[in-house]
Amino acid sequence: MEDTSEAIHPDKAGLPVVQETWNSFGHMIRWQEHNGVYLCYGERSHAALIFLSDGEFRFKVFQGEYPDLSTTIAILPRTETSQPEVEENEENLVFTTSVIQVLLNRQTFALTVLDKNGQEIARQETVSWSPRGATNGLFNMQEGSHFYGLGEKSSFLDKRGERYTMWNTDVYAPHMPEIEALYESIPLLLHMQGETTYGIFLDNPGRSDFDMRSHGVAYTIGCSTGEYDIYFIYGPELKDVIRRYTAMTGRISLPPKWALGYHQSRYSYMNQSEVMQLARDFREKDIPCDVIYLDIHYMEGYRVFTFDKIRFPDPKGMISELKDMGIRIVPIVDPGVKKDPKYPVYREGVQEDHFCRYLEGDIYFGDVWPGTSAFPDFTDNRTAEWWGQLHEYYTSLGIEGIWNDMNEPAVFNTLKTMDLDVIHKNNGKPMTHEELHNLYGLLMSKATYEGMKDHMNGRRPFILTRAGYSGIQRYAAIWTGDNRSFWEHMAMAIPMVLNMGLSGLPFAGPDIGGFAHHTSAQLLVRWTQMGAFFPYCRNHSSLGTTRQEPWSFGEQIEGVLREYIGLRYRWLPHLYNLFHEASQTGMPIIRPLILEYPRDPQVTNLCDQFLVGADVLIAPIYRPDTYCRAVYLPEGIWHDYWTGERHQGGKHILVDAPLDVLPMFIRASSIVVEGSLRQYTGDQADDSITFHIYGAIADDSFTAAYSLYEDDGETFAYENGKHSKLDIRVQGETDGLRLSMRYAHREYVAVRDQLRFTLRQPEFTPSEIVGLESITLDDLAEGKTGWSMDEQSGDILIQVLDTEQNEWILKV
Ligand code: MIG
């Protein structure tokens, strides 16, 4: 071969050793305020500060005269900003709000945040950038720093000593402690030190890094491309940060109740008769179930928006027959559209310019299930709208939920995703895929949610997604992708889903039983027990693995699984209440203990047990042949859910857990609600409800309260006031207890005549209840109003009419 000039390619010279210098602002030359934006000009670059509220501000690095202040879709539009007081002294520019003070150093641009007492809460020492476009912020941390958040990440709860990358990635079977990037990217870091917590949200959908490992007394937040655009979010408590962050990026919209039921999936249920048989099996075996998933084999050659005519000859008939049985179908929809000129979706996509292209105009093609495929450019509203409307195909068949997979987007190549230099239209502001990668999944699920909603006559759609970015919680639930049937992966699902909850993603869960590899009877039992209390509850498994439907391991195992899936259904009113709370305040549904007990040093990294809401503690078994475990009970008194036994908290106890027992504890002075057992959420239209009141004592110090939220569970009518709020209050008195109920709002009227209360193991026995007759347990069971004592359990059972408002006095 003849040599060309390539033989003397410049890169062959051996790279000269040139130290790459990172730049920073230099000193502040001047500053000015412009419409509530503080523009601080440095020698080499500038910073813009905007106070969104008294406890939140945005800090953005910019060049030129004025910054581009647009944000990604993660940030909800706001009408109000807050105006701090500003003064200038020798050293600093000082911004003061009612809760924080922010000092921007005029020599170095170092940024210090103080609380009202002048105590330093956060410090961004420097921001620097490389000539190649990466930017890095360096922040102080302390001996006692703990880190949470960061969305869907492996390893333990506390992220101190870890390093993570935000780059939505489909790695097969990736749930390993050292993996740095998973399917979702939530660039929100929560930093707790002593009694203060703050959050930093980096609004950059390209690749970013959070390093709490490599810098000793500092941690860094950096991005490889795009802008360094951070939001400082003050607490002081972890809960305050979550509330503020979710006010900024949005909260879940209430899912349909059926989405909270038990879901069954498999890669794949292959045809119509298999699906129908599966549904009949659930009903015949009395195992509750609301949803069956159709994985990629339902399609014709993996073409989205089609059903294979041979495998599924009558999807509409099948779906309506299933609906009569109380089961919904959720089909998978991937973003890749098969390159096939005879396929209308592809044809239309090309003709109407909906697919991602290179700058030069060629469509980007990647290999996924259907073979060569094109990818819709969801960054263009016009395309998102098109994609959304295509879902009429599904809604017209009676489908109300969609499962988005492969939306990182995953592509079968070495990069594992789309070429980085593909251009996204981005509504007239074109950017490369490299810069926008992490938005792809969010924008797909948003388009899907909106399109489905348009065609569902006021009913709530359910979307499940694998990939996402901050804000995804507004549109979809998240499952954690391809875990394996390993005990370790079950254990890891706890901190993973807990941190997702702290990061604004309350509606999440793993594949119960494990996706890849082969499950076992014990693993399936233990995982289902735990999964019964996870916000998202789906059993899913891969091609060629051991079957893991609930009856796969014989009758004894089936019996335990039936009981725990049933338990989830009895707990649905409580779970639904927590979903409602999440939609209002952003609080997670399952919580690490640190969220409720932030001053307890035992719980900073505790993640083999968790809370459901604030008052229910679950301590799953996550090892084989283990029938006993240590459980940490935080301060207070806790009741064993099964036996009622009281335990003093603030210490560890040893708990027996034979295979049919999930250790559960309820905090004294709390109330949990239970509904009736049912085979699916819409079963028997019976909203009967029992309030279980724990640890009542006849003393002024005792109070317990519960606000029960209810609505039709299916439509958006609640947005127009069609819901109800029932307040229950229990107040101890020296000679008894006062129990009251009152509807604070009642535009939705639940289907029931009575309310039931149980005083679980009260510390006293009432001699009478003023206004209520003492009757027998049999009478109670027949629905008569009155009260009775269950001698066996020591519980007091009360049954009353479900009226607007009432009050009863229990006398010692
Ligand atoms: O890896 O659609 O995570 O839940 O069953 C193959 C087939 C692509 C990955 C998903 C998994 C799903 C599977 N998909």
Side-chain angles (χ1 to χ4, degrees), residues 170 172 183 265-268 295-296 332 334 369 403 405-406 412 466 479 481-482 511 515 538 540-542:
D170 170 31
Y172 185 61
Y183 310 93
S265 185
R266 172 91 177 165
Y267 173 26
S268 301
D295 207 323
I296 50 178
I332 197 168
D334 293 352
W369 303 120
W403 170 19
D405 186 23
M406 305 288 278
F412 304 150
R466 192 170 70 176
W479 101 101
D482 297 346
D511 284 343
F515 174 67
R538 180 181 74 157
H540 180 48
S541 56
S542 185

Side-chain angles (χ1 to χ4, degrees), residues 233-304:
I233 307 163
Y234 179 57
E237 298 292 344
L238 184 50
K239 281 192 176 176
D240 300 317
V241 183
I242 296 171
R243 191 172 31 76
R244 290 179 200 272
Y245 169 75
T246 55
M248 194 160 102
T249 61
R251 296 170 179 148
I252 59 167
S253 67
L254 264 185
K257 233 183 201 170
W258 60 265
L260 274 60
Y262 173 79
H263 299 199
Q264 183 65 50
S265 185
R266 172 91 177 165
Y267 173 26
S268 301
Y269 293 123
M270 292 304 226
N271 56 53
Q272 194 163 327
S273 58
E274 190 183 352
V275 171
M276 290 309 303
Q277 188 54 48
L278 181 75
R280 283 192 292 269
D281 284 344
F282 272 102
R283 292 300 173 251
E284 275 158 25
K285 293 172 189 299
D286 282 329
I287 299 175
C289 178
D290 262 277
V291 187
I292 292 174
Y293 285 69
L294 298 183
D295 207 323
I296 50 178
H297 291 95
Y298 79 87
M299 295 176 270
E300 203 178 295
Y302 311 115
R303 288 169 186 80
V304 285

Side-chain angles (χ1 to χ4, degrees), residues 149-154 164-171 174-175 180-188 208 404 407-408 437-439 441-442 445 464-473 476-481 496 500 503-505 507-509:
L150 299 171
E152 180 190 64
K153 294 295 177 199
S154 53
Y164 293 102
T165 298
M166 298 298 167
W167 182 259
N168 292 355
T169 307
D170 170 31
V171 194
H175 289 215
E180 294 190 356
L182 272 166
Y183 310 93
E184 301 262 334
S185 291
I186 309 297
L188 168 72
S208 61
N404 285 162
N407 53 348
E408 293 72 28
H437 175 75
N438 290 338
L439 281 180
L442 161 59
S445 292
L464 177 71
T465 186
R466 192 170 70 176
Y469 180 72
S470 300
I472 186 66
Q473 65 269 21
I478 296 133
W479 101 101
T480 59
M496 184 178 285
M500 290 170 85
S503 313
L505 314 178
F507 195 5

